[in-house]
CSV table of all heavy atoms in Angstrom, one decimal:
chain,number,residue,atom,x,y,z
O,39,SER,N,17.1,188.1,73.2
O,39,SER,CA,18.0,187.1,72.6
O,39,SER,C,18.3,186.0,73.5
O,39,SER,O,18.6,184.9,73.1
O,39,SER,CB,19.4,187.8,72.3
O,39,SER,OG,19.9,188.3,73.6
O,40,SER,N,18.1,186.1,74.8
O,40,SER,CA,18.3,185.2,75.8
O,40,SER,C,16.8,185.0,76.5
O,40,SER,O,16.2,185.9,76.8
O,40,SER,CB,19.3,185.5,76.8
O,40,SER,OG,19.4,184.5,77.8
O,41,PRO,N,16.4,183.7,76.7
O,41,PRO,CA,15.0,183.6,77.1
O,41,PRO,C,14.7,184.2,78.5
O,41,PRO,O,13.6,184.6,78.7
O,41,PRO,CB,14.8,182.1,77.2
O,41,PRO,CG,16.2,181.4,77.0
O,41,PRO,CD,17.0,182.4,76.4
O,42,HIS,N,15.7,184.2,79.3
O,42,HIS,CA,15.4,184.8,80.7
O,42,HIS,C,16.3,186.1,81.0
O,42,HIS,O,16.3,186.5,82.2
O,42,HIS,CB,15.7,183.7,81.8
O,42,HIS,CG,14.9,182.5,81.5
O,42,HIS,ND1,15.5,181.4,80.9
O,42,HIS,CD2,13.6,182.2,81.6
O,42,HIS,CE1,14.5,180.5,80.7
O,42,HIS,NE2,13.4,180.9,81.2
O,43,GLY,N,16.9,186.6,80.0
O,43,GLY,CA,17.8,187.8,80.3
O,43,GLY,C,19.1,187.4,80.8
O,43,GLY,O,19.3,186.2,81.1
O,44,PHE,N,20.0,188.4,80.8
O,44,PHE,CA,21.3,188.0,81.2
O,44,PHE,C,22.1,189.4,81.6
O,44,PHE,O,21.7,190.5,81.2
O,44,PHE,CB,22.2,187.3,80.2
O,44,PHE,CG,22.4,188.2,78.9
O,44,PHE,CD1,23.6,188.9,78.7
O,44,PHE,CD2,21.5,188.2,77.9
O,44,PHE,CE1,23.8,189.7,77.6
O,44,PHE,CE2,21.6,189.0,76.8
O,44,PHE,CZ,22.7,189.7,76.6
O,45,TRP,N,23.1,189.2,82.4
O,45,TRP,CA,24.0,190.3,82.9
O,45,TRP,C,25.2,190.4,81.9
O,45,TRP,O,25.6,189.4,81.4
O,45,TRP,CB,24.5,190.2,84.3
O,45,TRP,CG,23.4,190.2,85.3
O,45,TRP,CD1,22.8,189.2,85.8
O,45,TRP,CD2,22.8,191.4,85.9
O,45,TRP,NE1,21.8,189.5,86.8
O,45,TRP,CE2,21.8,190.9,86.8
O,45,TRP,CE3,23.0,192.7,85.8
O,45,TRP,CZ2,21.0,191.8,87.6
O,45,TRP,CZ3,22.2,193.6,86.5
O,45,TRP,CH2,21.3,193.1,87.4
O,46,SER,N,25.8,191.6,81.9
O,46,SER,CA,27.0,191.8,81.1
O,46,SER,C,28.0,192.6,81.9
O,46,SER,O,27.7,193.5,82.5
O,46,SER,CB,26.7,192.6,79.8
O,46,SER,OG,26.0,191.9,78.9
O,47,VAL,N,29.4,192.2,81.7
O,47,VAL,CA,30.4,193.0,82.3
O,47,VAL,C,31.4,193.3,81.1
O,47,VAL,O,31.5,192.5,80.2
O,47,VAL,CB,31.2,192.2,83.4
O,47,VAL,CG1,30.3,192.1,84.6
O,47,VAL,CG2,31.8,190.9,83.0
O,48,PHE,N,32.2,194.4,81.2
O,48,PHE,CA,32.9,194.9,80.2
O,48,PHE,C,34.4,195.3,80.5
O,48,PHE,O,35.2,195.2,79.7
O,48,PHE,CB,32.2,196.2,79.6
O,48,PHE,CG,30.8,195.9,79.3
O,48,PHE,CD1,29.8,196.2,80.2
O,48,PHE,CD2,30.5,195.5,78.0
O,48,PHE,CE1,28.5,195.9,79.9
O,48,PHE,CE2,29.1,195.3,77.6
O,48,PHE,CZ,28.1,195.5,78.6
O,49,SER,N,34.6,195.7,81.8
O,49,SER,CA,36.0,196.2,82.1
O,49,SER,C,36.9,195.0,82.2
O,49,SER,O,36.5,193.8,82.3
O,49,SER,CB,35.9,196.9,83.5
O,49,SER,OG,35.7,196.0,84.5
O,50,HIS,N,38.2,195.3,82.0
O,50,HIS,CA,39.2,194.2,82.1
O,50,HIS,C,39.1,193.5,83.4
O,50,HIS,O,39.1,192.3,83.4
O,50,HIS,CB,40.6,194.9,81.8
O,50,HIS,CG,41.7,194.0,81.6
O,50,HIS,ND1,42.4,193.3,82.6
O,50,HIS,CD2,42.2,193.5,80.4
O,50,HIS,CE1,43.3,192.6,82.1
O,50,HIS,NE2,43.3,192.6,80.8
O,51,GLU,N,39.0,194.3,84.5
O,51,GLU,CA,39.0,193.7,85.8
O,51,GLU,C,37.8,192.8,86.0
O,51,GLU,O,38.0,191.7,86.5
O,51,GLU,CB,39.1,194.8,86.8
O,51,GLU,CG,39.3,194.3,88.2
O,51,GLU,CD,39.2,195.4,89.2
O,51,GLU,OE1,39.2,196.6,88.9
O,51,GLU,OE2,39.0,195.0,90.4
O,52,ALA,N,36.6,193.2,85.5
O,52,ALA,CA,35.4,192.5,85.8
O,52,ALA,C,35.5,191.2,84.9
O,52,ALA,O,35.1,190.1,85.4
O,52,ALA,CB,34.2,193.3,85.5
O,53,CYS,N,35.8,191.3,83.7
O,53,CYS,CA,35.9,190.1,82.8
O,53,CYS,C,36.9,189.1,83.3
O,53,CYS,O,36.6,187.9,83.4
O,53,CYS,CB,36.2,190.5,81.4
O,53,CYS,SG,35.0,191.5,80.5
O,54,ARG,N,38.1,189.6,83.7
O,54,ARG,CA,39.1,188.7,84.2
O,54,ARG,C,38.5,188.0,85.5
O,54,ARG,O,38.7,186.8,85.7
O,54,ARG,CB,40.3,189.5,84.5
O,54,ARG,CG,41.6,188.6,84.6
O,54,ARG,CD,42.8,189.5,84.5
O,54,ARG,NE,42.8,190.6,85.3
O,54,ARG,CZ,43.3,190.7,86.6
O,54,ARG,NH1,43.9,189.6,87.0
O,54,ARG,NH2,43.1,191.7,87.3
O,55,GLY,N,37.8,188.8,86.3
O,55,GLY,CA,37.3,188.2,87.6
O,55,GLY,C,36.3,187.1,87.3
O,55,GLY,O,36.3,186.1,88.0
O,56,VAL,N,35.4,187.4,86.4
O,56,VAL,CA,34.2,186.4,86.2
O,56,VAL,C,34.8,185.1,85.7
O,56,VAL,O,34.3,184.0,86.0
O,56,VAL,CB,33.1,187.0,85.2
O,56,VAL,CG1,32.2,185.9,84.7
O,56,VAL,CG2,32.3,188.1,85.9
O,57,LEU,N,35.9,185.2,84.9
O,57,LEU,CA,36.5,184.0,84.3
O,57,LEU,C,37.6,183.4,85.2
O,57,LEU,O,38.1,182.3,84.8
O,57,LEU,CB,37.1,184.3,82.9
O,57,LEU,CG,36.1,185.0,81.9
O,57,LEU,CD1,36.8,185.3,80.6
O,57,LEU,CD2,35.0,184.0,81.6
O,58,ALA,N,37.9,184.0,86.2
O,58,ALA,CA,39.1,183.5,87.1
O,58,ALA,C,38.8,182.1,87.6
O,58,ALA,O,37.6,181.7,87.8
O,58,ALA,CB,39.3,184.5,88.3
O,59,PRO,N,39.9,181.3,87.8
O,59,PRO,CA,39.7,179.9,88.3
O,59,PRO,C,38.9,179.8,89.6
O,59,PRO,O,38.2,178.9,89.7
O,59,PRO,CB,41.2,179.5,88.5
O,59,PRO,CG,42.1,180.4,87.8
O,59,PRO,CD,41.3,181.7,87.6
O,60,SER,N,39.1,180.8,90.5
O,60,SER,CA,38.4,180.7,91.8
O,60,SER,C,37.0,181.3,91.8
O,60,SER,O,36.3,181.1,92.7
O,60,SER,CB,39.3,181.4,92.8
O,60,SER,OG,39.4,182.8,92.3
O,61,ALA,N,36.6,181.9,90.7
O,61,ALA,CA,35.3,182.5,90.6
O,61,ALA,C,34.2,181.5,90.7
O,61,ALA,O,34.3,180.5,90.0
O,61,ALA,CB,35.1,183.4,89.4
O,62,PRO,N,33.0,181.8,91.4
O,62,PRO,CA,32.0,180.8,91.6
O,62,PRO,C,31.1,180.9,90.4
O,62,PRO,O,29.9,181.3,90.5
O,62,PRO,CB,31.3,181.3,92.9
O,62,PRO,CG,31.6,182.8,92.9
O,62,PRO,CD,32.8,183.0,92.2
O,63,PHE,N,31.6,180.4,89.3
O,63,PHE,CA,30.8,180.4,88.0
O,63,PHE,C,31.1,179.1,87.4
O,63,PHE,O,32.1,178.5,87.5
O,63,PHE,CB,31.3,181.5,87.1
O,63,PHE,CG,30.8,182.9,87.5
O,63,PHE,CD1,31.6,183.8,88.2
O,63,PHE,CD2,29.5,183.3,87.1
O,63,PHE,CE1,31.3,185.0,88.5
O,63,PHE,CE2,29.1,184.5,87.5
O,63,PHE,CZ,29.9,185.4,88.3
O,64,THR,N,30.1,178.7,86.6
O,64,THR,CA,30.2,177.4,85.7
O,64,THR,C,30.0,177.7,84.3
O,64,THR,O,29.3,178.6,84.0
O,64,THR,CB,29.2,176.3,86.3
O,64,THR,OG1,29.4,175.2,85.4
O,64,THR,CG2,27.7,176.8,86.2
O,65,SER,N,30.6,176.9,83.5
O,65,SER,CA,30.3,176.9,82.1
O,65,SER,C,29.3,175.8,81.6
O,65,SER,O,29.0,175.7,80.5
O,65,SER,CB,31.6,176.6,81.2
O,65,SER,OG,32.5,177.6,81.5
O,66,GLU,N,29.0,175.0,82.5
O,66,GLU,CA,28.3,173.7,82.2
O,66,GLU,C,26.8,174.0,81.6
O,66,GLU,O,26.2,173.1,81.0
O,66,GLU,CB,28.2,172.8,83.3
O,66,GLU,CG,29.6,172.2,83.6
O,66,GLU,CD,29.6,170.7,83.9
O,66,GLU,OE1,28.6,170.1,84.1
O,66,GLU,OE2,30.8,170.1,83.9
O,67,TYR,N,26.2,175.2,81.9
O,67,TYR,CA,24.9,175.5,81.3
O,67,TYR,C,25.0,176.0,79.9
O,67,TYR,O,24.0,176.2,79.2
O,67,TYR,CB,24.2,176.5,82.2
O,67,TYR,CG,23.8,175.9,83.6
O,67,TYR,CD1,24.4,176.5,84.7
O,67,TYR,CD2,22.9,174.9,83.7
O,67,TYR,CE1,24.0,176.0,86.0
O,67,TYR,CE2,22.6,174.4,85.0
O,67,TYR,CZ,23.1,174.9,86.1
O,67,TYR,OH,22.9,174.4,87.3
O,68,GLY,N,26.3,176.3,79.5
O,68,GLY,CA,26.6,176.8,78.2
O,68,GLY,C,27.4,178.1,78.4
O,68,GLY,O,27.5,178.6,79.5
O,69,MET,N,28.2,178.4,77.3
O,69,MET,CA,29.1,179.6,77.4
O,69,MET,C,28.8,180.6,76.5
O,69,MET,O,29.6,181.5,76.1
O,69,MET,CB,30.6,179.1,77.3
O,69,MET,CG,31.0,178.3,76.2
O,69,MET,SD,30.9,179.0,74.5
O,69,MET,CE,32.4,180.1,74.7
O,70,MET,N,27.5,180.7,76.0
O,70,MET,CA,27.1,181.9,75.1
O,70,MET,C,25.7,182.3,75.5
O,70,MET,O,24.9,181.5,76.0
O,70,MET,CB,27.3,181.6,73.7
O,70,MET,CG,26.7,180.3,73.2
O,70,MET,SD,27.4,180.0,71.6
O,70,MET,CE,26.6,178.4,71.2
O,71,ILE,N,25.4,183.6,75.1
O,71,ILE,CA,24.1,184.2,75.3
O,71,ILE,C,23.0,183.3,74.8
O,71,ILE,O,23.1,182.8,73.6
O,71,ILE,CB,24.1,185.6,74.7
O,71,ILE,CG1,25.0,186.5,75.6
O,71,ILE,CG2,22.7,186.1,74.8
O,71,ILE,CD1,25.3,187.9,74.8
O,72,GLY,N,22.0,183.1,75.5
O,72,GLY,CA,20.9,182.2,75.1
O,72,GLY,C,20.8,181.0,76.0
O,72,GLY,O,19.7,180.4,76.2
O,73,PHE,N,21.9,180.7,76.6
O,73,PHE,CA,21.9,179.5,77.6
O,73,PHE,C,21.8,180.1,79.0
O,73,PHE,O,22.3,181.2,79.3
O,73,PHE,CB,23.1,178.6,77.4
O,73,PHE,CG,23.1,177.9,76.1
O,73,PHE,CD1,24.2,178.1,75.2
O,73,PHE,CD2,22.1,177.0,75.8
O,73,PHE,CE1,24.2,177.4,74.0
O,73,PHE,CE2,22.1,176.3,74.6
O,73,PHE,CZ,23.2,176.5,73.7
O,74,ASP,N,21.2,179.3,79.9
O,74,ASP,CA,21.2,179.6,81.4
O,74,ASP,C,20.8,178.4,82.1
O,74,ASP,O,20.6,177.4,81.5
O,74,ASP,CB,20.4,180.9,81.6
O,74,ASP,CG,18.9,180.7,81.2
O,74,ASP,OD1,18.4,179.5,81.2
O,74,ASP,OD2,18.3,181.7,80.8
O,75,ALA,N,20.6,178.6,83.4
O,75,ALA,CA,20.4,177.4,84.2
O,75,ALA,C,19.1,176.7,83.8
O,75,ALA,O,18.8,175.5,83.9
O,75,ALA,CB,20.3,177.8,85.7
O,76,GLU,N,18.1,177.6,83.3
O,76,GLU,CA,16.7,177.0,82.9
O,76,GLU,C,16.7,176.5,81.5
O,76,GLU,O,15.9,175.7,81.1
O,76,GLU,CB,15.6,178.0,83.1
O,76,GLU,CG,15.4,178.2,84.6
O,76,GLU,CD,14.6,179.5,84.8
O,76,GLU,OE1,13.5,179.6,84.4
O,76,GLU,OE2,15.2,180.5,85.2
O,77,THR,N,17.6,177.0,80.7
O,77,THR,CA,17.7,176.6,79.3
O,77,THR,C,19.2,176.2,79.0
O,77,THR,O,19.9,176.8,78.3
O,77,THR,CB,17.4,177.7,78.3
O,77,THR,OG1,17.6,179.0,78.9
O,77,THR,CG2,15.9,177.6,77.8
O,78,PRO,N,19.6,175.0,79.5
O,78,PRO,CA,21.0,174.6,79.4
O,78,PRO,C,21.4,174.1,78.0
O,78,PRO,O,20.6,173.6,77.3
O,78,PRO,CB,21.2,173.6,80.5
O,78,PRO,CG,19.8,173.0,80.7
O,78,PRO,CD,18.8,174.1,80.3
O,79,ASP,N,22.7,174.2,77.7
O,79,ASP,CA,23.3,173.7,76.5
O,79,ASP,C,23.3,172.1,76.6
O,79,ASP,O,23.8,171.7,77.7
O,79,ASP,CB,24.7,174.2,76.3
O,79,ASP,CG,25.4,173.8,75.1
O,79,ASP,OD1,24.9,172.9,74.4
O,79,ASP,OD2,26.4,174.5,74.8
O,80,HIS,N,22.8,171.4,75.7
O,80,HIS,CA,22.7,170.0,75.9
O,80,HIS,C,24.2,169.3,75.7
O,80,HIS,O,24.3,168.2,76.1
O,80,HIS,CB,21.8,169.3,74.9
O,80,HIS,CG,22.1,169.6,73.5
O,80,HIS,ND1,21.8,170.7,72.8
O,80,HIS,CD2,22.7,168.8,72.5
O,80,HIS,CE1,22.3,170.7,71.6
O,80,HIS,NE2,22.7,169.5,71.3
O,81,ALA,N,25.2,170.2,75.3
O,81,ALA,CA,26.5,169.6,75.3
O,81,ALA,C,27.2,169.8,76.7
O,81,ALA,O,28.4,169.3,76.9
O,81,ALA,CB,27.3,170.4,74.2
O,82,GLY,N,26.6,170.4,77.6
O,82,GLY,CA,27.2,170.7,78.9
O,82,GLY,C,27.6,169.4,79.6
O,82,GLY,O,26.9,168.5,79.6
O,83,GLY,N,28.8,169.5,80.2
O,83,GLY,CA,29.3,168.3,80.8
O,83,GLY,C,29.9,167.2,79.9
O,83,GLY,O,30.3,166.1,80.3
O,84,ARG,N,29.9,167.5,78.5
O,84,ARG,CA,30.3,166.5,77.5
O,84,ARG,C,31.3,167.1,76.6
O,84,ARG,O,32.2,166.5,76.2
O,84,ARG,CB,29.1,166.0,76.8
O,84,ARG,CG,28.0,165.6,77.6
O,84,ARG,CD,26.9,165.0,76.8
O,84,ARG,NE,27.2,163.7,76.6
O,84,ARG,CZ,26.2,162.7,76.2
O,84,ARG,NH1,25.0,163.1,76.1
O,84,ARG,NH2,26.5,161.5,76.0
O,85,MET,N,31.1,168.4,76.2
O,85,MET,CA,32.0,169.0,75.3
O,85,MET,C,32.9,169.9,76.2
O,85,MET,O,32.5,170.7,77.0
O,85,MET,CB,31.2,169.9,74.4
O,85,MET,CG,32.1,170.7,73.3
O,85,MET,SD,31.1,172.0,72.6
O,85,MET,CE,30.4,171.3,71.2
O,86,LEU,N,34.3,169.8,75.8
O,86,LEU,CA,35.3,170.5,76.6
O,86,LEU,C,35.0,171.9,77.1
O,86,LEU,O,35.0,172.2,78.3
O,86,LEU,CB,36.6,170.6,75.8
O,86,LEU,CG,37.8,171.3,76.4
O,86,LEU,CD1,38.4,170.4,77.5
O,86,LEU,CD2,38.8,171.5,75.3
O,87,VAL,N,34.5,172.7,76.2
O,87,VAL,CA,34.4,174.1,76.6
O,87,VAL,C,33.2,174.4,77.5
O,87,VAL,O,33.1,175.4,78.2
O,87,VAL,CB,34.3,175.0,75.3
O,87,VAL,CG1,32.9,175.0,74.7
O,87,VAL,CG2,34.7,176.5,75.6
O,88,VAL,N,32.3,173.5,77.6
O,88,VAL,CA,31.1,173.6,78.4
O,88,VAL,C,31.1,172.5,79.5
O,88,VAL,O,30.1,172.0,79.9
O,88,VAL,CB,29.8,173.7,77.7
O,88,VAL,CG1,29.6,175.1,77.1
O,88,VAL,CG2,29.6,172.6,76.6
O,89,THR,N,32.3,172.1,79.9
O,89,THR,CA,32.5,171.1,81.0
O,89,THR,C,33.4,171.6,82.0
O,89,THR,O,34.4,172.2,81.7
O,89,THR,CB,33.1,169.8,80.3
O,89,THR,OG1,32.1,169.3,79.4
O,89,THR,CG2,33.3,168.7,81.3
Side-chain angles (χ1 to χ4, degrees):
S39 61
S40 175
H42 306 100
F44 63 96
W45 295 98
S46 288
V47 292
F48 307 88
S49 70
H50 191 274
E51 191 185 343
C53 289
R54 200 162 48 92
V56 165
L57 303 179
S60 55
F63 285 99
T64 177
S65 297
E66 292 221 348
Y67 293 115
M69 50 70 72
M70 50 192 177
I71 292 167
F73 293 120
D74 56 34
E76 289 163 71
T77 29
D79 183 346
H80 60 284
R84 313 183 81 161
M85 182 197 266
L86 179 69
V87 77
V88 283
T89 298

